[in-house]
Amino acid sequence: MNLKTSYCSDKYQYTMGKSFYDYGMKDKISVFNLFFRKAPDNNNWSVVSGVQEVLEMIESLGSEPESFYEKFIPGEEYREFRKYLSTMKFTGNVYAMREGEIAFPKEPIITVEAPIIEAQVLETPMLCIMNHQMAIATKASRVTRSTSKPVSEFGSRRAHGPWAATMGGKAAVIGGCANTSNILTAAMFNTTCTGTMAHSYVTSFGCSINGEREAFKTYISTHKGEPMILLIDTYDTLNCGLPNAIAAFKECGVDDNYPQGYGIRLDSGDLAYLSRQCRSILDQNGLKKCKIFATNSLDEYLITELERQDAQIDSYGVGDAIATSKHNPCFGNVYKLVQIDGEPVLKRSEDKVKLINPGFQITYRIIYKDAFEADVTCLRGDATSRRIENCEELYLQDEYDETKNRTYPAGSYKWKILQEEVMKEGKIIAKERTLEQKRAYYFENLYSFNETERRIINPHYYKVDISDELYDLKLNLINKIIGEIKELKRR
């Protein structure tokens, strides 16, 4: 079945749409922001992935006949609305952060400016795409930041379905993984995939030590000219797996002169101890360039500990921890209306973290001495926005803590806009970038932050601010609502 992601939606998007249609609101221009309130794992930021699939989803809106809508909004009262939906294409504009961008709480990752029905029905499929991919990309970032060694994503078999496995592999590469084992990801995004062998391959040659050795020799002989990794823990890593691997390599003429690279894989046991023992034995046998690849339910915490124990591991394979974002499987992006027909709106909440920023926004990243210093979200074209673009003196103060502030003298900083226009009047205008370019952009961003802000545990919090004009607008709207509530109580 071909999954039509535009319609991977909730019914209430369409029941609300009917009200907009019947009440004559369908042409009102709305602005919606997609953003998150809190990053997972007590991190301060997340990695953007999924924008490409969102644009493809939006572009295919309105591709179904009336009969499709009859399946979930049947009845004569919906007939006219169903006809409208069957021809409704997206006609608005979309602004988005680049894939590989590093985003902070409440910053607009995607902004949709469109007639309200067109924008409203995008909510569920857009969140489905972005929440999945950003969870994976952000987890991949944490795992890959735990080591300087390459990390491969190996989690397809534990992913929540084929679509999740394929797009999760893409997101993992954006988040820093060197490659993925998923062949569909590799084919779709023109990137490399990697793999070793399974225990079933070894046992298929018979449940014996000689069978293991024959398995290794056969594998080497059928893969000459390729990188090759032998899985050595099927029976006993040190007492037969490693000796059989060494013998097979030597008998088949694979040594440190083998140009494509070769190695062994550890998938169980005490990886720190076994890797040190294997390294010593390999070196004693003249196989100093033989790489040691480790798997076995790894995550950023286990890898950090292996590195601390001086494990002799050259690269890691990580499965379900990345593929399911195991510690935080549900990412928290939300999609909120912030403006309707030029009038800013907000959702007020007794829970302070749920209070949203109103109005049509844009985020600037302040660059000071070639390092990222702060992000400022402004109302588009407000005084702070103009001041930044003219590189005038800039005073920043934390929204909730006035003791946290800093002044940047005029001309002392640079800036970049985080949201670029990616769709104009319903047509995709985003620059096409390869998966490797997106991964490279992530690393470019990552190393522009202070190393204390890149820590996995207890990172230093990067400065994120809003303009005075946005702050005042939000406060005025809140006070207006509070005043109306008080008036209502007096009646």
Side-chain angles (χ1 to χ4, degrees):
M1 183 183 83
N2 180 26
L3 181 63
K4 298 164 183 172
T5 55
S6 300
Y7 300 99
C8 180
S9 193
D10 293 307
K11 183 174 179 177
Y12 84 153
Q13 309 293 1
Y14 289 86
T15 55
M16 286 189 289
K18 182 178 185 295
S19 294
F20 294 145
Y21 182 84
D22 289 351
Y23 197 63
M25 293 176 62
K26 70 179 180 65
D27 295 322
K28 286 197 169 198
I29 300 300
S30 63
V31 177
F32 282 81
N33 279 349
L34 181 144
F35 61 94
F36 64 92
R37 297 183 175 108
K38 188 175 185 296
D41 290 294
N42 292 317
N43 217 35
N44 192 27
W45 48 264
S46 295
V47 181
V48 176
S49 182
V51 175
Q52 177 180 340
E53 287 69 41
V54 162
L55 295 178
E56 292 168 359
M57 176 273 292
I58 295 173
E59 196 174 46
S60 65
L61 193 69
S63 58
E64 295 299 312
E66 288 182 59
S67 58
F68 170 79
Y69 301 95
E70 288 178 6
K71 297 174 182 178
F72 61 94
I73 45 174
E76 185 62 30
E77 67 274 22
Y78 279 98
R79 179 183 295 277
E80 186 179 338
F81 185 51
R82 288 196 300 266
K83 185 174 182 179
Y84 169 76
L85 291 174
S86 68
T87 60
M88 185 188 79
K89 302 294 288 185
F90 184 81
T91 60
N93 307 315
V94 178
Y95 305 83
M97 292 187 183
R98 284 177 58 176
E99 294 192 281
E101 191 65 81
I102 288 173
F104 291 85
K106 295 192 176 181
E107 296 178 345
I109 296 166
I110 298 177
T111 296
V112 176
E113 179 191 24
I116 191 162
I117 296 180
E118 297 175 21
Q120 183 68 67
V121 299
L122 299 177
E123 177 179 11
T124 302
M126 187 183 295
L127 287 173
C128 179
I129 292 167
M130 296 301 293
N131 279 333
H132 171 251
Q133 290 202 34
M134 287 185 64
I136 306 306
T138 303
K139 187 63 171 181
S141 169
R142 288 180 58 80
V143 172
T144 55
R145 280 184 283 130
S146 69
T147 177
S148 60
K149 317 288 178 50
V151 175
S152 299
E153 184 273 319
F154 272 22
S156 292
R157 66 189 63 193
R158 301 288 174 82
H160 299 151
W163 185 89
T166 305
M167 294 304 163
K170 171 218 167 183
V173 171
I174 288 178
C177 285
N179 45 46
T180 174
S181 65
N182 191 290
I183 59 173
L184 188 54
T185 303
M188 287 178 63
F189 297 101
N190 194 30
T191 190
T192 58
C193 59
T194 188
T196 59
M197 63 174 62
H199 293 108
S200 59
Y201 175 79
V202 176
T203 57
S204 71
F205 286 80
C207 191
S208 68
I209 306 308
N210 286 336
E212 180 183 55
R213 183 167 174 175
E214 188 63 26
F216 291 163
K217 289 170 61 179
T218 303
Y219 190 87
I220 294 170
S221 65
T222 55
H223 292 278
K224 271 292 186 71
E226 304 172 28
M228 58 181 72
I229 304 287
L230 304 181
L231 177 60
I232 67 170
D233 74 329
T234 303
Y235 303 121
D236 187 305
T237 298
L238 296 178
N239 291 312
C240 64
L242 183 60
N244 274 337
I246 291 171
F249 281 138
K250 290 187 173 182
E251 288 177 37
C252 295
V254 175
D255 56 24
D256 285 356
N257 295 314
Y258 184 70
Q260 287 79 20
Y262 69 110
I264 58 171
R265 174 182 160 209
L266 305 175
D267 189 48
S268 60
D270 185 332
L271 296 179
Y273 169 77
L274 289 173
S275 66
R276 289 195 297 266
Q277 293 297 110
C278 287
R279 182 75 275 155
S280 176
I281 295 167
L282 288 166
D283 289 353
Q284 290 170 19
N285 282 271
L287 303 180
K288 294 185 177 182
K289 292 185 179 180
C290 182
K291 302 295 185 183
I292 299 175
F293 184 69
T295 53
N296 189 23
S297 300
L298 298 174
D299 59 24
E300 66 267 42
Y301 304 106
L302 289 170
I303 291 174
T304 296
E305 187 61 17
L306 287 169
E307 297 283 291
R308 188 189 69 80
Q309 295 180 40
D310 194 31
Q312 297 298 295
I313 295 170
D314 297 291
S315 60
Y316 297 91
V318 179
D320 55 357
I322 290 177
T324 67
S325 186
K326 193 170 184 178
H327 298 112
N328 286 274
C330 183
F331 196 84
N333 278 321
V334 294
Y335 183 77
K336 298 296 181 183
L337 180 68
V338 295
Q339 185 167 292
I340 184 73
D341 260 4
E343 292 294 322
V345 297
L346 56 71
K347 174 193 179 296
R348 179 176 176 257
S349 175
E350 294 175 358
D351 186 352
K352 188 168 69 172
V353 74
K354 288 194 170 184
L355 179 64
I356 70 170
N357 293 325
F360 197 178
Q361 300 156 35
I362 188 169
T363 305
Y364 295 88
R365 182 154 288 164
I366 305 303
I367 305 166
Y368 183 72
K369 295 183 179 178
D370 296 323
F372 294 161
E373 277 281 309
D375 284 7
V376 188
T377 298
C378 305
L379 295 167
R380 288 178 175 257
D382 71 13
T384 301
S385 173
R386 295 193 299 273
R387 195 155 54 248
I388 290 171
E389 294 193 7
N390 291 327
C391 290
E392 297 172 12
E393 181 177 279
L394 182 64
Y395 174 76
L396 299 180
Q397 176 184 295
D398 186 274
E399 183 179 354
Y400 304 109
D401 185 351
E402 63 182 19
T403 66
K404 295 180 179 178
N405 59 74
R406 180 164 182 182
T407 298
Y408 295 90
S412 68
Y413 60 91
K414 301 176 184 177
W415 52 271
K416 71 171 184 174
I417 292 171
L418 298 191
Q419 300 89 3
E420 59 184 14
E421 191 170 21
V422 292
M423 184 172 268
K424 186 177 181 64
E425 297 177 355
K427 304 296 182 185
I428 296 175
I429 61 170
K431 180 180 178 182
E432 290 189 13
R433 299 180 176 100
T434 67
L435 184 55
E436 294 306 314
Q437 287 174 325
K438 294 171 183 178
R439 180 176 182 268
Y441 184 66
Y442 157 71
F443 279 117
E444 177 187 327
N445 282 307
L446 179 66
Y447 291 109
S448 295
F449 288 97
N450 187 284
E451 63 180 358
T452 64
E453 294 157 352
R454 304 196 300 263
R455 287 195 298 251
I456 293 173
I457 298 174
N458 193 29
H460 179 77
Y461 271 57
Y462 177 79
K463 293 180 284 296
V464 180
D465 197 9
I466 61 174
S467 69
D468 291 345
E469 294 78 12
L470 176 51
Y471 178 82
D472 291 342
L473 172 64
K474 179 163 65 171
L475 203 61
N476 289 338
L477 286 174
I478 293 169
N479 289 335
K480 174 178 175 290
I481 295 296
I482 291 172
E484 290 177 357
I485 292 171
K486 289 179 179 178
E487 179 63 28
L488 187 64
K489 283 183 174 182
R490 285 195 292 266
R491 290 178 187 174

